[in-house]
Amino acid sequence: MNKKNILITGGAGFIGSHVVRLMVNKYPDTQFVNLDLLTYAGNLENIADVADKPNYTFVRGDIRDADFLKDLFEKYHFDGVIHLAAESHVDRSIENPLEFVETNVIGTVNLLNTARNLWQNDFNDKLFYHISTDEVYGSLGKTGLFTEDTPYDPHSPYSASKAASDHFVRSYHDTYGMPTVISNCSNNYGPNQFPEKLIPLFINNIKHNKPLPVYGDGQYTRDWLYVIDHARAIDMIFTEGKAGETYNVGGFNEYTNIDLIHLLCDLVDEKLGRPEGTSRKLITFVKDRPGHDKRYAIDASKINRELGWKPSVNFSEGLSKTIDWYLENEVWLNNVTSGDYQKYYEEMYGDR
Ligand code: NAD
Ligand code: TYD
């Protein structure tokens, strides 16, 4: 690692917490600042195990606030930024698109501006790494894969906001010569994911015998990757990726929602000692999500060829570990579903 001071944004969220854990432990001589607003999706419990490490600092703050960012960058003199902070849930973006523009687009441009001002166009050994999603590429038919050259075609306010932020990041590379790198990853699953996303929501509902709301006919396909493999990819791209490049990251692991839901029902039943078929009865087909993308699938051959990355956890192993984690971490799940952890932050930090 040739960087001394790294800013990780969104490090109290799902993917960010796994990135923080991996990098803080792996690079003890590098200082990491985790900047997170602690929205409903940010939870310090996710990274409680690194809180006392000497090369780690947590700062609560908002990437929408340019003045705050200026002070933070001047204080810590970051030479690298790994940017994960975002509003990340498609259904919420349908309800409130502007929030996604403010955090995902304006927040990202604020970070780019602040880094550029601090670095004063001396970009030697600097890097701005932006984490994005495969959803910017739109929807595939029955065949084909997203490559790094697939034209952008976002359909939800979430993916449109991520696409816009990706364009801004590339524009800072092309216009100002800022060293930037982008990765676009498929659907992640694993421990610490907020239970509004399909896998943790369904595990929690199965456990409590609650209905499993399947959007439309359930014949939508996603490519699932274990979150720790995404964190490994992020580490590799940050330390070995080439500035100006984009890397697709995926699990080579496509499932239709309904097949995945059947698998989840059967695995949870088995782990809870329930008779076979019990939880499949909870499946309830509901109104489809508007603008629902039919199929996502990633061609991750570039990162494999150029950086030697490939997933290390296969789906049955990853899913089994994930289910075990949610079944074992009842307190975590109860806290985030009841909102108790947010009350605690308000008491601890007030308005920051
Ligand atoms: P998440 O919603 O779990 O976490 C987002 C984090 O960002 C939270 O800790 C939240 O508090 C923080 N945050 C939100 N607004 C902020 C603001 N204004 N200022 C500072 N912090 C703020 O998201 P995630 O699933 O961990 O996703 C992380 C990144 O990876 C996002 O950029 C997302 O677009 C991208 N991504 C996610 C997936 C996935 O499957 N989850 C796949 C590909 C890419
Ligand atoms: P989600 O986890 O929200 O991720 P994304 O929309 O970013 O892919 O949803 C994954 C898939 O599961 C998507 O096709 C929508 C579907 N889905 C349901 O059928 N029911 C649900 O309650 C949720 C949250 C998602």
Side-chain angles (χ1 to χ4, degrees), residues 270-283:
E270 195 186 310
K271 286 178 190 287
L272 293 179
R274 292 178 180 169
E276 220 178 294
T278 307
S279 299
R280 287 191 185 210
K281 296 193 189 104
L282 300 169
I283 291 173

Side-chain angles (χ1 to χ4, degrees), residues 13-15 36-37 39 42 62-63 84 88 132 158 162 186 188:
F14 167 47
I15 301 169
D36 198 297
L37 184 59
T39 67
D62 191 340
I63 59 168
L84 297 113
S88 68
S132 192
Y158 164 63
K162 291 299 288 187
S186 62
N188 286 213

